[in-house]
Amino acid sequence: MSLPKDFIWGFSTSAYQIEGAIEQDGRGPSIWDSFCNQPGRITGGSSGAVACNSYNRTADDIALLKSLGATAYRFSLSWSRIIPLGGREDPINDTGMQHYVKFVDDLLDAGITPFVTLYHWDLPDELEKRYGGLLNRQEFPLDFERYARIVFEALPKVKHWATFNEPWVSCILGYNVGSAAPGRTSAASTDPWIVGHNILIAHGRAAKTYRKKFQAQHGGEIGIVLDGDATYPWDASDPEDIRACNRKIEFSIGWFADPIYLGHYPAAMRAQLLSRLPTFTDEERALVKGSSDYYGMNHYTANYVKHREDAPNLEDYAGNVDILFSNKNGDWIGAETESRWLRPCPQGFGDLLRWISERYRNPKIYVLENGTSIKGENDLPIEKILEDDFRVQYYDGYVREMAAAVRLCGVDVRGYFAWSLMDNFEWAEGYRTRFGACYVDYDNGQKRYVKKSATVMKQLFDELTKKD
């Protein structure tokens, strides 16, 4: 037993991936609605229009969580459901806000602790059209701050807040690769870094508002959620590959965590990007540094990293490295999954937890996403889908690595959330890729079925958590 007795565990979802009901009760369109309407963007031409219909099935989802023994649930709010046009002078949709008020109350009545994320990639579409959305350094942080304040006021019972989920994805996939909303690839040499800077400022403004006006009375905490992969050198004997591993993490995790915990962008980013990387004003630095009460960690996979000999091009976003799944000796980092970017490597989870703990002086950590798809899962009969032993083994390996990092190295992990509670709209991959611990039958009313992986979680955490 190595996890603290008050350790929190549960499952994660996000609004656009599960809620559906995109035109119900006054919700306005988001950039993901618009992105999905563009031909060729989403596998199968699908969207989150219906998804798991969780907006209309909150009672079912809560009952499901309770049946699995989960002690907490991490979900996100739809900004455009609360403020359909998004801006600080735009009207509030009280029906949308009250939906979340009731949902939080119902979770608490069921003994489930809500962890609420304000922004999981679904910007109100009007703000994208009005001023360029996340690219606007003046308007976007102010609109986000007002949205956050409205939600803080309406949901005083929530004690665990996250501002942004995986800003790296918003910046790189949204403004460089173009595979996520808003799907921009123009001016890729500058846009991702501008967006990342603006997200940090918006996060800092929201955190300052919460701490100044709500934290003492509500007794909660606020942070940001960062994704990152573990790294190993392609050639373990090559010092350049070893350095490249750290550089790759600096370009993903360090991009956001260094300003928050250390007060500046990572050295590797400053050296490569030069003037393309925005600089903090004194006021912005004061907003951002120290602005998270905890480190929100999303983690799925690991890579072998090989340095490049040539100078980086303007579109490079990873630190001028090759990101690979096999090393110089031909060893694979893990087995294939349905997701081309994901191969299980439990050891990498432990190593990255230790890296974060050492670099940022042992912050309190919540693991807010961790999970896997299974190669070919969607093509199996339901009986075999429910016997998801690959996912069972993934969770078991990763959770035990996390527990070992706590026990042996003193890493301060306070909670773990599996991604995801149920199969859902997997962004550009549509509905073909399934990450759920519960199966969703999209053809028959989004009925939920519990997979084996969902049933083993309580037993796993009961085994690993201290009893007194």
Side-chain angles (χ1 to χ4, degrees), residues 226-237:
L226 307 179
D227 59 310
D229 305 331
T231 59
Y232 296 100
W234 181 78
D235 181 351
S237 66

Side-chain angles (χ1 to χ4, degrees), residues 161-441:
W161 291 102
T163 52
F164 289 87
N165 179 78
E166 297 185 355
W168 184 94
V169 171
S170 293
C171 298
I172 299 304
L173 300 191
Y175 292 85
N176 181 314
V177 177
S179 61
R184 294 171 65 107
T185 56
S186 61
S189 63
T190 57
D191 283 4
W193 320 116
I194 292 169
V195 170
H197 194 82
N198 296 345
I199 286 174
L200 281 166
I201 304 311
H203 157 77
R205 294 192 73 93
K208 182 179 180 180
T209 295
Y210 183 71
R211 289 171 168 177
K212 184 177 180 180
K213 298 183 178 180
F214 302 99
Q215 191 167 45
Q217 182 180 357
H218 296 176
E221 59 185 352
I222 191 165
I224 193 169
V225 185
L226 307 179
D227 59 310
D229 305 331
T231 59
Y232 296 100
W234 181 78
D235 181 351
S237 66
D238 187 340
E240 289 298 323
D241 283 356
I242 294 171
R243 280 191 284 271
C245 285
N246 197 69
R247 191 162 68 248
K248 196 265 185 182
I249 298 179
E250 286 194 352
F251 265 77
S252 54
I253 291 173
W255 181 3
F256 302 97
D258 275 25
I260 289 171
Y261 288 96
L262 307 179
H264 51 73
Y265 285 120
M269 294 185 72
R270 299 197 304 270
Q272 178 173 317
L273 299 174
L274 302 174
S275 62
R276 291 186 288 135
L277 187 66
T279 56
F280 291 100
T281 66
D282 290 343
E283 180 184 10
E284 288 174 339
R285 193 183 310 279
L287 270 175
V288 172
K289 188 176 182 184
S291 57
S292 286
D293 298 324
Y294 64 86
Y295 184 102
M297 180 182 184
N298 289 358
H299 175 74
Y300 291 87
T301 191
N303 295 107
Y304 290 113
V305 176
K306 187 177 189 298
H307 77 281
R308 292 176 177 173
E309 298 289 351
D310 296 336
N313 60 44
L314 290 179
E315 286 73 35
D316 179 73
Y317 56 81
N320 202 33
V321 301
D322 291 322
I323 301 168
L324 307 165
F325 279 125
S326 61
N327 64 12
K328 183 180 180 180
N329 300 323
D331 304 317
W332 293 96
I333 202 106
E336 283 188 283
T337 68
E338 187 65 27
S339 308
R340 57 194 176 105
W341 53 270
L342 196 169
R343 287 179 179 241
C345 179
Q347 178 187 340
F349 189 26
D351 288 341
L352 190 58
L353 280 164
R354 286 183 281 272
W355 188 95
I356 291 167
S357 183
E358 291 170 7
R359 187 176 183 94
Y360 304 121
R361 300 174 190 141
N362 200 30
K364 179 200 304 184
I365 298 172
Y366 291 109
V367 177
L368 292 168
E369 289 184 27
N370 179 238
T372 189
S373 59
I374 300 175
K375 190 172 180 60
E377 182 177 20
N378 194 54
D379 299 324
L380 298 172
I382 185 172
E383 296 79 12
K384 291 191 177 294
I385 289 177
L386 300 184
E387 292 291 319
D388 60 338
D389 290 321
F390 186 91
R391 189 172 286 111
V392 170
Q393 294 166 8
Y394 180 99
Y395 285 148
D396 187 81
Y398 273 73
V399 169
R400 291 185 188 280
E401 279 287 340
M402 175 185 70
V406 173
R407 181 180 73 252
L408 300 176
C409 302
V411 179
D412 187 11
V413 185
R414 305 291 185 91
Y416 173 96
F417 293 77
W419 184 272
S420 177
L421 174 62
M422 67 189 94
D423 298 328
N424 54 51
F425 177 72
E426 190 51 41
W427 307 111
E429 296 178 39
Y431 294 98
R432 173 163 184 81
T433 303
R434 295 176 179 268
F435 271 83
C438 296
Y439 172 81
V440 176
D441 187 345

Side-chain angles (χ1 to χ4, degrees), residues 52-65:
C52 306
N53 196 27
S54 282
Y55 180 78
N56 295 303
R57 298 191 59 172
T58 55
D60 295 339
D61 291 349
I62 292 171
L64 184 59
L65 286 161

Side-chain angles (χ1 to χ4, degrees), residues 22-244:
I22 62 171
E23 296 180 351
Q24 188 173 334
D25 293 340
R27 178 190 179 275
S30 76
I31 56 174
W32 267 95
D33 295 306
S34 297
F35 188 72
C36 291
N37 287 335
Q38 299 173 26
R41 290 293 198 180
I42 310 297
T43 298
S46 58
S47 74
V50 178
C52 306
N53 196 27
S54 282
Y55 180 78
N56 295 303
R57 298 191 59 172
T58 55
D60 295 339
D61 291 349
I62 292 171
L64 184 59
L65 286 161
K66 194 168 183 179
S67 73
L68 299 175
T71 61
Y73 181 47
R74 184 219 171 187
F75 61 97
S76 74
L77 309 179
S78 168
W79 185 345
S80 60
R81 202 178 287 286
I82 295 168
I83 311 171
L85 299 178
R88 57 194 181 277
E89 304 297 332
D90 295 319
I92 299 167
N93 176 27
D94 189 61
T95 303
M97 189 70 257
Q98 290 307 311
H99 167 81
Y100 293 117
V101 171
K102 184 179 187 304
F103 186 46
V104 166
D105 286 344
D106 291 347
L107 282 168
L108 291 169
D109 288 345
I112 298 168
T113 301
F115 276 62
V116 179
T117 302
L118 293 170
Y119 185 88
H120 199 123
W121 310 348
D122 49 351
L123 181 77
D125 197 50
E126 172 63 23
L127 300 187
E128 177 70 18
K129 294 173 179 174
R130 187 179 291 177
Y131 55 67
L134 276 66
L135 277 167
N136 193 301
R137 190 165 177 170
Q138 287 73 44
E139 300 297 323
F140 172 70
L142 294 174
D143 282 347
F144 182 78
E145 179 184 10
R146 187 254 190 162
Y147 159 58
R149 185 177 68 252
I150 287 167
V151 172
F152 297 151
E153 290 172 347
L155 299 174
K157 297 178 184 178
V158 173
K159 308 302 181 189
H160 307 278
W161 291 102
T163 52
F164 289 87
N165 179 78
E166 297 185 355
W168 184 94
V169 171
S170 293
C171 298
I172 299 304
L173 300 191
Y175 292 85
N176 181 314
V177 177
S179 61
R184 294 171 65 107
T185 56
S186 61
S189 63
T190 57
D191 283 4
W193 320 116
I194 292 169
V195 170
H197 194 82
N198 296 345
I199 286 174
L200 281 166
I201 304 311
H203 157 77
R205 294 192 73 93
K208 182 179 180 180
T209 295
Y210 183 71
R211 289 171 168 177
K212 184 177 180 180
K213 298 183 178 180
F214 302 99
Q215 191 167 45
Q217 182 180 357
H218 296 176
E221 59 185 352
I222 191 165
I224 193 169
V225 185
L226 307 179
D227 59 310
D229 305 331
T231 59
Y232 296 100
W234 181 78
D235 181 351
S237 66
D238 187 340
E240 289 298 323
D241 283 356
I242 294 171
R243 280 191 284 271

